[in-house]
Amino acid sequence: MMMVQLGQCNGILGQYPKLSPLVRRRKERIQRSMSLQAQALPSRTQRIMESIAVEGEVGGAGGAYSYNALKRLDHIWSSICSTVTVSQEPQQVVSSIPGVTSHSDLTGKAVDKFDVVVCGGTLGIFIATALSAKGLQVGIVERNILKGREQEWNISRKELLELVDVGILEENDIEQTIAMNFNPNRCGFEDKGEIWVKDILNLGVSPVKLVEIMKKRFISLGGVIFEGCSVSSISIYEDASVLKLSEGNILSSRLVIDAMGNFSPVVKQIRRGRKPDGVCLVVGSCARGFKDNSTSDIIYSSSSVKKVGDSEAQYFWEAFPAGSGPLDRTTYMFTYVSPQPGSPKLEELLEDFWDLMPEYQGVSLDNLEILRVIYGIFPTYRDSPLPAAFDRILQFGDASGIQSPVSFGGFGSLTRHLGRLSAGVYEAINGDFLDASSLSLLNPYMPNLSASWLFQRAMSAKKNSNVPPEFINELLHVNFQSMQKLGDPVLRPFLQDVIQFGALSKTLGLVMITQPQIIPSIFKQVCMNFRGWYSCTS
């Protein structure tokens, strides 16, 4: 009835101009009311997530599944995207204090002493156990219960066996943790043809089982875990680092390893709140009801660049069989963006996910039982890995920026570097090479990360770009074709996120020979300058 009256009033406006202000105000009030009613309605994402029983959150990326946790992460993401670009003064967690601990105010206080304290246990448990196995006294500080997430980690067997080579697991332990084994694995870009490979990210490892095995191993070696504790301050003295925990504990350690991930407060202090140079946004689900469920997608794109809110996005997919049941499948949708006002929120991406995933996977959403909703933000910086900024503190894992900027999982990167880093830390402890300059040698410049940055930039949609919307898929298709022609030694490292300059040069050289017409668009997209780095403006 109201809509009929509005239509009649709109008609009257043309006949009786004097009535227009009154009618206009009435119409605006009704529109505001309708807008408020629409805002009050829960989104499809909220309805789906609130219909799923969610257990307690665990540490690490992807360890939370609730709608409230999604809103918290979107709030953090909005803050990152804010218009403030100047360096901010974050909370000062670390401070350097002249003198030794015996001359400090710690005299008479109960202090637990260690060779190494690892802050952040979900991935930190691996380096902590490796150092304990070498005879060091190690403690772990974890703000949650030290437990792996339900969602599996995808990895190759070769990378997983690195844990055996380091000496922290036995092969039979490894077999216990493998929830799924699947082949072959597909790569494809918008119906331009497909590339099938084997034994790449083809294992689904249960973090719950793996972390529990590591936890028991760590404790059996004399390790100590402070669960439900968080670091409030770290004081660097000449002879030790002193950690004060929010719960009142005081720990003294010769070295602190920061394994608190992308949002580590220590890293925030070092980077002075600077915006990341790029971000990978990831959403997805683990759902039951997939009948064709024996293969995986490593990277797949089913459409060109599309508009998302006030931004542009190129969506990519990953999909893997899940270990929770034969009809269960995990599907990720991810995109690379530069953090700026108007960048899409995770909830907006999830709304697109529910629209696009059924067509991509060939299944109706009504026929699926959603078991979990998955989401994450993975910021990356061009100046990575992060050199040590303080004596007696070393960044590890995602906190160090050692992971590839095209990756949204740090477990594979951790296994590749664990042997080198655990041996280096042990040498630094024994030789007392614990100054910032010496520790920085453990996180050196890595050319392959620079090469990965080129790919992240090439895979990122740019607002108001003069590059055609289908260009990203065209570029990736041409590159993958060239890598396939160059053979397994080039293609396999790329798919395992270990891009090397030599392989990249061969690939680009072949692209220039076979598809020379695409080169100008590559330079427009990546904005490479003569020094080999690039600087792109939004």
Side-chain angles (χ1 to χ4, degrees), residues 368-390:
L368 296 177
E369 176 190 356
I370 308 299
L371 305 177
R372 283 184 296 278
V373 178
I374 308 159
Y375 47 87
I377 295 173
F378 298 88
T380 51
Y381 295 83
R382 282 184 294 198
D383 55 341
S384 292
L386 187 63
F390 304 101

Side-chain angles (χ1 to χ4, degrees), residues 40-60:
L41 293 174
S43 67
R44 178 168 45 175
T45 296
Q46 182 177 354
R47 294 196 303 272
I48 289 174
M49 296 184 74
E50 291 183 345
S51 69
I52 304 171
V54 177
E55 298 181 0
E57 298 178 6
V58 299

Side-chain angles (χ1 to χ4, degrees), residues 85-342:
T85 56
V86 296
S87 293
Q88 305 170 11
E89 196 63 39
Q91 178 187 0
Q92 298 297 301
V93 179
V94 181
S95 58
S96 298
I97 300 176
V100 295
T101 53
S102 59
H103 295 161
S104 70
D105 60 357
L106 297 175
T107 304
K109 296 182 179 180
V111 178
D112 294 306
K113 295 186 177 181
F114 298 91
D115 293 314
V116 180
V117 168
V118 178
C119 300
T122 306
L123 292 182
I125 185 70
F126 296 96
I127 185 85
T129 305
L131 295 174
S132 292
K134 293 179 181 294
L136 299 179
Q137 184 61 43
V138 184
I140 294 176
V141 178
E142 169 55 46
R143 66 177 180 176
N144 299 298
I145 299 300
L146 182 45
K147 179 183 177 181
R149 69 181 195 182
E150 292 294 329
Q151 192 59 43
E152 285 127 16
W153 288 327
N154 295 104
I155 196 169
S156 69
R157 180 173 292 273
K158 180 179 182 297
E159 291 172 314
L160 191 57
L161 288 174
E162 297 283 353
L163 301 179
V164 176
D165 294 339
V166 172
I168 58 176
L169 284 181
E170 303 293 334
E171 284 205 43
N172 61 336
D173 293 327
I174 292 290
E175 298 306 320
Q176 291 179 39
T177 69
I178 297 175
M180 281 298 292
N181 189 337
F182 41 85
N183 267 313
N185 326 109
R186 180 177 68 158
C187 308
F189 305 98
E190 203 177 6
D191 301 324
K192 298 180 185 300
E194 298 173 350
I195 295 174
W196 291 86
V197 296
K198 286 188 176 182
D199 301 328
I200 296 176
L201 299 180
N202 64 302
L203 300 182
V205 173
S206 167
V208 172
K209 292 180 180 179
L210 182 56
V211 172
E212 184 60 27
I213 291 172
M214 292 302 308
K215 189 175 178 180
K216 291 178 180 178
R217 172 78 168 150
F218 176 68
I219 293 173
S220 73
L221 292 168
V224 179
I225 302 175
F226 297 87
E227 292 182 318
C229 296
S230 54
V231 177
S232 60
S233 68
I234 303 175
S235 300
I236 309 298
Y237 293 88
E238 293 176 9
D239 60 336
S241 297
V242 175
L243 300 88
K244 293 184 179 180
L245 308 187
S246 301
E247 294 67 26
N249 307 66
I250 301 176
L251 313 181
S252 173
S253 176
R254 296 180 64 193
L255 176 68
V256 174
I257 293 181
D258 173 14
M260 292 185 280
N262 290 307
F263 299 105
S264 159
V266 179
V267 172
K268 287 183 181 179
Q269 180 177 340
I270 294 171
R271 294 197 184 275
R272 298 176 60 83
R274 181 168 68 84
K275 277 188 181 184
D277 297 302
V279 173
C280 181
L281 301 178
V282 183
V283 298
S285 70
C286 181
R288 179 166 295 160
F290 294 91
K291 295 180 181 178
D292 184 11
N293 196 31
S294 60
T295 64
S296 72
D297 286 349
I298 296 178
I299 181 170
Y300 192 86
S301 175
S302 56
S303 61
S304 300
V305 171
K306 64 170 293 185
K307 192 168 182 62
V308 185
D310 296 328
S311 188
E312 305 279 345
Q314 172 68 63
Y315 289 146
F316 299 99
W317 300 92
E318 278 192 5
F320 304 93
S324 50
L327 302 181
D328 298 356
R329 191 168 180 85
T330 299
T331 308
Y332 296 104
M333 185 181 81
F334 59 100
T335 187
Y336 302 103
V337 300
S338 297
Q340 56 190 344

Side-chain angles (χ1 to χ4, degrees), residues 12 50 97 240 282 319 359 430 498 537:
I12 292 171
E50 291 183 345
I97 300 176
V282 183
E359 182 179 355
N430 279 343
V498 189
T537 56

